[in-house]
Amino acid sequence: MKDIISDNRKNLVILLSLLLPAALSIAGLSGSSLETKRKMRQINARRLCMTGLAGENTPISIKGFSSLFLNNDALNANEDMLSYLQGELGSAAKDADEKSVQDIEEDLDWWLRLYFEFHPDKNQGKHAQLSSTLAKELESVFFTYASVMSNSEEVQGELIWAVEGNKSKTIKRWIRTYLCIEAVRNEQKFKAAEFSDGKTIEYHYALWTEFLELFVLEHCKFGLFPEIFSSPDQASILISLFNLYDFTKDSDLKRKVDILITFILADWSHLHYNGVYAGARTGMNFESSDIYSQSDKWRYYTAPFVGSSNEWLETEKDVYANDFGIYVSATTNYQLPDVVLATALGKKPRKSFVSISAYPANIIEKQGREYLDKDGKKFLSYSYVTNYYCQSSVIASPEAVSGFEDDKKMNIASDAFENIMSGLTFQSSPGSIIYPVLRNGENEIREYNSLVSVQNKNITLYMPNRSRYPEGAVELIMSSGLSSNMRLSSGWKIFKTGGVWVGIKGFSPQDGQTTDEGRWANGNRLIFDKEKGPVAMVTGLSYKYKDFEAFSAYLEKQFASIEDGNLTFYGVNTDKEPAKIQADLQDSERPSVNGEKPSLQREYLYDCPLIRSKEGSGILFFSNESKSMVIDVVKDIISES
């Protein structure tokens, strides 16, 4: 990955020094340390497979993969997997109908990896081999699936931004379809076969290759899909991309997928604590136990690259060992570039910084179909990052709503923008959080823009979006135990955890002077539904504010005034800069900070001292104290210096 910068592109490295003048100090790691970490991933892959093989309740996918990877009882493993496949289909693969094949599509990710990894003609690795009988059965499944899912009239570039259905499922389906074609297109039995549209398999292969290259190009130039860092649903996209990178035979597509994965992991690396993405996230599955916890899927799937092997292979092996995705992460040929790996492994910079990431948000309609407007206004993830915590907000148009309405041209895809997660994530524990929701009667509303948020570094204000929820109130949900050490000072509720002070205060919407004390529910929910006014959350580091009195004195500098429904919050951020926030509590206008409203028509997709990318350029600059990287998706460049 260190080649590849042509003479006429060396000016990109010069631009890096101009665009990133404030590269921050991150605990450096030598090249030998990084190489050791990479070698350990290979060793740990074997350890992981040994754990999977030894488990009493190990799924057949993992037991079969582990058996072949370790060359342990491969004969029985092949027989067991063949029996399992035919049991799923209800028949031998050649006799299975289209519905039976479609019903097992969620399993295709591991069947494809099994096929490419252990087929004697596809991979000459030092592992056991897939039996010819099982290979032929899988080829029949792959062809049937691809012939059903690949419609040449639908594989059009504009569909990259379509918002129909669940985006993660759509993307994974695209990748599965392509890899199914890749698996069988050179097999004699299928070479001359035609799909239902009368086109040859080679025609479809060329069509999908071009489509997926454009898919990478578009997202690197105009923004990642907004819900990319949700858990658990979207995290599995990473697994599909690893499969695509490992098994495509097209070198141009492979290179572009390499770039897309690096784009995603560069974003993740500068905003994660213990593997958990700490910036604002959308599309979260709040019914899952994986939300901001030890079981967060992003923590799972990045663990082989950056996690402590003692942790994920020993103390938490029962949690990790039954998720096939981690086996993909452990065995993929993809390698993190040095600068991204060093950033992910290193401590957060001592000097705090602001990171703003922009994602396409507006919906437009063309010929009866809905699309994300790649050139339109953005949804912003605003994060204030320190050694000990990340404070994040969603910044967007309050008038935007979930779903599509004919009379609104500013609106949001419901699957991408519902179930917002923002607030505070603490470095001390993956599950230690404070995050806001809207309380509407007895319901907790997590939809896009149910709350209006505004943030200046360590100061965040939350306000119910009155245009949508006239009787809504702010609610803050906390990790269990945080409320037990609460103290009070001048209406502020003050907490301390993991080296971080947190102050929370509700304000009456009548005058801003009266405090809304809020009420506790279930021991971890602080609800401000008496006055239903704005709520401030102000944070500080304990090394800067040595004791309760010092932080209380800092909070005394923050106060609010409300006249005729207009809020003015007079704040001073932790860098002693003014943070004057103004908002119309009854209107749907964006609040302003120091007289300016955040622009949603962004020049940069990423804007922070570590990572920067200008919208439409396809060029990403990434830097820490000792290393830098330039990615250019148009020129197929990944260059480190």
Side-chain angles (χ1 to χ4, degrees), residues 33-50:
S33 298
L34 298 177
E35 195 55 39
T36 298
K37 189 70 178 177
R38 291 193 177 99
K39 289 180 179 177
M40 283 304 299
R41 186 163 69 93
Q42 299 174 12
I43 295 170
N44 289 336
R46 296 188 63 81
R47 292 175 61 194
L48 177 65
C49 287
M50 291 171 68

Side-chain angles (χ1 to χ4, degrees), residues 45-46 49 64-71 118 126-128 331:
R46 296 188 63 81
C49 287
F65 183 91
S66 298
S67 292
L68 297 187
F69 191 87
L70 298 172
N71 199 3
F118 303 117
K126 298 178 181 178
H127 308 296
T331 58

Side-chain angles (χ1 to χ4, degrees), residues 568-587:
T568 302
F569 182 87
Y570 298 91
V572 179
N573 67 34
T574 192
D575 293 327
K576 300 181 180 179
E577 301 163 338
K580 183 180 179 182
I581 296 171
Q582 294 173 289
D584 185 339
L585 298 180
Q586 300 301 321
D587 201 357

Side-chain angles (χ1 to χ4, degrees), residues 24-29 34 269-274 306 339-353 385-389 427 610 622-625:
L24 301 173
S25 174
I26 292 180
L29 292 166
L34 298 177
S269 72
H270 87 293
L271 284 178
H272 87 93
Y273 293 119
N274 302 295
V306 302
V339 63
V340 180
L341 181 57
T343 302
L345 288 169
K347 295 180 179 179
K348 288 290 178 287
R350 196 61 173 174
K351 182 178 171 68
S352 304
F353 67 94
V385 187
T386 77
N387 289 34
Y388 298 96
Y389 70 94
Q427 191 275 338
L610 299 184
F622 193 94
S623 177
N624 64 24
E625 183 183 44

Side-chain angles (χ1 to χ4, degrees), residues 362 377-378 394-402 408 410-412 447-454 463-469 583-592 597-598 600:
N362 289 2
K377 293 180 180 179
K378 298 292 191 284
V394 171
I395 309 295
S397 296
E399 68 268 25
V401 298
S402 296
K408 288 186 177 290
M410 170 76 71
N411 37 65
I412 302 301
E447 291 178 354
Y448 174 83
N449 267 3
S450 54
L451 291 174
V452 177
S453 303
V454 60
M463 294 154 279
N465 189 344
R466 293 281 174 239
S467 65
R468 297 187 59 205
Y469 294 98
D584 185 339
L585 298 180
Q586 300 301 321
D587 201 357
S588 59
E589 287 292 316
R590 290 194 307 282
S592 65
K597 294 180 181 180
L600 304 182

Side-chain angles (χ1 to χ4, degrees), residues 505-535:
K505 187 174 184 177
F507 300 93
S508 166
Q510 306 307 315
D511 57 13
Q513 306 301 310
T514 306
T515 300
D516 183 348
E517 297 293 342
R519 64 180 177 88
W520 289 96
N522 300 327
N524 71 331
R525 282 161 162 77
L526 184 54
I527 306 168
F528 295 90
D529 58 356
K530 182 180 180 181
E531 299 285 346
K532 301 178 181 177
V535 174

Side-chain angles (χ1 to χ4, degrees), residues 49-119:
C49 287
M50 291 171 68
T51 300
L53 200 57
E56 292 184 4
N57 299 312
T58 303
I60 186 65
S61 57
I62 291 172
K63 194 171 283 288
F65 183 91
S66 298
S67 292
L68 297 187
F69 191 87
L70 298 172
N71 199 3
N72 185 307
D73 199 13
L75 180 62
N76 283 329
N78 272 290
E79 291 177 354
D80 289 344
M81 287 187 290
L82 178 62
S83 176
Y84 177 76
L85 174 64
Q86 293 179 344
E88 276 196 307
L89 295 172
S91 67
K94 64 182 179 61
D95 300 321
D97 58 26
E98 294 177 358
K99 184 180 183 305
S100 297
V101 171
Q102 287 179 278
D103 285 345
I104 69 165
E105 74 168 342
E106 290 297 324
D107 282 344
L108 282 181
D109 290 338
W110 74 267
W111 283 123
L112 282 161
R113 189 157 196 93
L114 191 84
Y115 178 84
F116 282 107
E117 192 78 50
F118 303 117
H119 192 294

